[in-house]
Amino acid sequence: MCRWLAYSGTPILLETILYKPQHSLIDQSLHSRMGVETTNGDGFGIGWYSQEAEVDTPAIFRDVGPAWNNRNLREIAQHVKSPLLFAHIRASTGTAVQQTNCHPFRHGRWLWMHNGSIAGFHQFRRELCMAVEPSLFDGMEGTTDSEVMFYLALTFGLEEDPPGAVARMVGLVERTGRAHGVEAPMQMTVAVTDGASVWGFRYASAGTPRSLFYSSRVESLRALHPDAAFLQELSDNTRLVVSEPLGDLPGAWNEVPVDTYGVVHQDGNDSLHPFAPAAA
């Protein structure tokens, strides 16, 4: 499958998150501990928001090679600072290794990334694509189930109600899959953001969903680890949501419960909620 992380908080150099942690996302591209595959080398992508940019959309950089040896990614990471970063390393589930299939996907101010798959996707891909709002359809550039999920969520009101839109998207996928004899079509962890808040979802139609964790509150970590200098540089509202922990700092990571979504707000008002599919 894939690995991803979402960072929100104190503006920080991208390399601080992507390269420096003990078990960074770059390390996970070669040595994932919790993924279906150990190696995630079928492309990568980052998306970030800039406080200085004059445009109202996030920047994205995606490539088809492995993240661990991409010189351009390292160059960007050493020079770009952002308060909100999405990063994704890909292990293809059957679709082509090409830039348009690399995450995160962008629409306006919104970014989306996914780990998991729609089982039997190619049996009913056409039906799912035909459910996308016609005015949005031309925005789909690739061939992945992940991008179709994004555009279905946009169709079902992502920009107004992210949890409800994702629930309606999953409901449609499950109903369509089961009509084609696929009883458990959905396996997902998803991150989506509008540049202000970050939503993370963990769900599977059956069995255990892919792994997902969120970081503890910074003030709690400072109390546990008063000698950790890097914690002094972070604001209290800094949070990470990750496919697997970036290190072994005691008390730093919490597993997102099964069938749950969480939301991270810039003001630090975070919360977890039950998640279930809904009728589209």
Side-chain angles (χ1 to χ4, degrees):
M1 296 297 173
C2 310
R3 305 279 83 184
W4 58 256
L5 70 77
Y7 170 88
S8 176
T10 301
I12 198 169
L13 278 175
L14 304 193
E15 71 167 356
T16 306
I17 295 299
L18 294 179
Y19 287 91
K20 291 187 176 181
Q22 173 189 359
H23 188 47
S24 69
L25 199 66
I26 303 302
D27 180 64
Q28 291 177 34
S29 67
L30 278 167
H31 307 295
S32 172
R33 300 170 183 171
M34 297 181 174
V36 175
E37 298 88 4
T38 301
T39 304
N40 298 272
D42 295 328
F44 68 88
I46 56 174
W48 70 94
Y49 296 79
S50 172
Q51 295 176 313
E52 291 78 29
E54 296 182 2
V55 295
D56 195 37
T57 56
I60 57 172
F61 171 60
R62 303 181 292 182
D63 207 349
V64 297
W68 64 76
N69 67 356
N70 190 283
R71 296 177 66 184
N72 289 329
L73 177 60
R74 181 173 284 278
E75 185 74 13
I76 290 171
Q78 290 174 341
H79 292 86
V80 171
K81 182 178 286 189
S82 173
L84 205 163
L85 165 71
F86 271 22
H88 186 281
I89 49 177
R90 183 171 185 244
S92 172
T93 55
T95 48
V97 179
Q98 60 193 44
Q99 280 194 21
T100 53
N101 283 346
C102 293
H103 310 218
F105 302 101
R106 177 179 64 188
H107 176 79
R109 282 194 55 79
W110 291 81
L111 290 175
W112 171 283
M113 57 187 177
H114 166 235
N115 174 35
S117 65
I118 297 176
F121 175 61
H122 293 290
Q123 298 178 42
F124 49 93
R125 174 186 171 198
R126 181 180 181 276
E127 289 179 50
L128 295 181
C129 288
M130 292 300 290
V132 172
E133 164 64 37
S135 64
L136 296 170
F137 192 87
D138 285 347
M140 290 193 297
E141 299 180 318
T143 58
T144 64
D145 51 359
S146 304
E147 188 178 27
V148 172
M149 290 165 60
F150 181 29
Y151 276 82
L152 285 172
L154 286 165
T155 296
F156 295 140
L158 181 70
E159 293 169 295
E160 292 78 35
D161 174 19
V166 174
R168 290 186 284 274
M169 176 273 292
V170 174
L172 175 67
V173 169
E174 290 190 331
R175 187 169 64 253
T176 306
R178 287 164 183 161
H180 286 261
V182 182
E183 288 304 310
M186 181 60 78
Q187 170 66 252
M188 73 175 205
T189 64
V190 162
V192 61
T193 182
D194 59 357
S197 299
V198 177
W199 291 263
F201 299 82
R202 187 181 184 213
Y203 175 80
S205 301
T208 303
R210 300 291 180 251
S211 57
L212 192 63
F213 297 81
Y214 63 95
S215 62
S216 299
R217 293 188 178 276
V218 173
E219 60 267 34
S220 300
L221 290 176
R222 289 197 197 102
L224 285 171
H225 306 283
D227 297 330
F230 74 94
L231 292 173
Q232 309 306 318
E233 303 171 3
L234 300 177
S235 63
D236 288 348
N237 61 351
T238 295
R239 281 298 182 97
L240 276 159
V241 184
V242 298
S243 292
E244 58 185 80
L246 304 185
D248 299 324
L249 189 69
W253 302 103
N254 311 275
E255 187 172 16
V256 175
V258 170
D259 299 345
T260 297
Y261 80 89
V263 57
V264 175
H265 296 295
Q266 288 181 331
D267 61 6
N269 184 21
D270 310 330
S271 56
L272 291 172
H273 308 271
F275 176 81

